[in-house]
Amino acid sequence: MKRMLLPALFITAGLLSTSVYASVDVKADSSSIEAKLPEKKRDILHHYLSPKEVYDIKKTEGNKVLFVDIRTPYEIQFVGYTDMIDGNVPYITYDYSDWDDKKKTYKRQFNSGFVGQVEDLMKKTGINYGKNTKIILMCRSGDRSAKATDLMAKNGYTNVWSAWQGFEGDKAKSGENKGQRVVNGWKNAGLPWTYKMDKNKAAFVF
């Protein structure tokens, strides 16, 4: 039974393998990265991957790695995404009937079905389902992916990795591009992406 209750809801997932990068090396690198990360990008598993690492792992290991884009379907549609993902499972959605005066945006809602939807995606893709399944989560800039990694960890998943730069990357703090997401991230790394969505990686529920 589908657990997805959100309209135009994409599902995204990506599996990660240990054969390309020895786990001890990745963890060592993650430790050095974590020391430089703001608290909102840190996760309790201390698992972090750069865009290039995600690309290389997914390119080499393919269906042994569950690569999930956890942004909203609207972000994917209008900002673009990489077709290397296995599906889209939004970590949050927006309530377009309610306004957040403080943040000057529509109010955000947590997707309470997130873990179950990731599990459904694992089954759909035929990945070897288990609590040690290697999963990569990517959002816009690494904040949501850290929170989502924590959530998966609290539900017993031990091999979840946050793409800490996200798809769009961080905002420039100075210069002519101040406030724009031009610092890092999947798109700024020159990795493949597109505006053309793959219906097979999306689930529409009405």
Side-chain angles (χ1 to χ4, degrees):
M1 177 182 295
K2 287 184 178 292
R3 306 187 196 188
M4 308 194 62
L5 304 176
L6 303 171
L9 186 62
F10 289 79
I11 310 177
T12 312
L15 287 173
L16 186 59
S17 169
T18 57
S19 63
V20 181
Y21 298 97
S23 59
V24 62
D25 294 333
V26 174
K27 289 180 179 179
D29 186 51
S30 291
S31 296
S32 63
I33 290 171
E34 184 172 61
K36 303 174 184 177
L37 293 181
E39 188 63 32
K40 62 184 178 180
K41 287 194 177 191
R42 298 181 182 182
D43 63 68
I44 58 179
L45 291 178
H46 315 290
H47 286 174
Y48 313 99
L49 292 170
S50 70
K52 186 60 165 58
E53 287 174 325
V54 175
Y55 174 83
D56 288 344
I57 292 168
K58 185 61 179 174
K59 187 75 172 178
T60 305
E61 297 300 318
N63 62 6
K64 295 180 181 178
V65 178
L66 189 69
F67 183 16
V68 188
D69 191 320
I70 68 168
R71 294 175 297 155
T72 67
Y74 306 102
E75 287 177 277
I76 289 176
Q77 182 174 10
F78 297 112
V79 179
Y81 80 113
T82 174
D83 194 43
M84 294 181 76
I85 64 171
D86 294 292
N88 168 227
V89 178
Y91 180 71
I92 61 100
T93 60
Y94 286 91
D95 181 354
Y96 293 100
S97 67
D98 204 357
W99 185 256
D100 189 324
D101 286 320
K102 183 177 180 180
K103 295 184 177 180
K104 307 300 181 186
T105 185
Y106 296 104
K107 285 195 173 179
R108 306 198 323 174
Q109 296 182 139
F110 167 64
N111 175 13
S112 60
F114 180 79
V115 175
Q117 291 162 18
V118 171
E119 291 173 340
D120 286 345
L121 183 58
M122 280 192 275
K123 296 170 185 175
K124 176 184 175 182
T125 56
I127 288 168
N128 185 23
Y129 176 82
K131 295 294 185 178
N132 195 43
T133 298
K134 218 157 191 179
I135 304 169
I136 305 174
L137 304 177
M138 183 170 69
C139 63
R140 180 178 62 185
S141 59
D143 298 3
R144 277 172 282 176
S145 59
K147 292 182 177 65
T149 296
D150 287 349
L151 178 61
M152 296 297 292
K154 290 172 183 176
N155 279 272
Y157 288 87
T158 61
N159 211 3
V160 187
W161 296 76
S162 172
W164 68 273
Q165 296 179 21
F167 183 74
E168 290 186 77
D170 294 310
K171 293 179 180 178
K173 296 181 179 179
S174 60
E176 62 179 358
N177 293 318
K178 181 179 180 180
Q180 298 180 26
R181 296 188 181 279
V182 297
V183 177
N184 50 30
W186 185 280
K187 289 179 76 172
N188 293 314
L191 297 171
W193 67 277
T194 181
Y195 289 118
K196 296 180 180 179
M197 296 183 293
D198 183 346
K199 184 178 179 181
N200 294 322
K201 297 180 180 180
F204 299 91
V205 180
F206 301 92

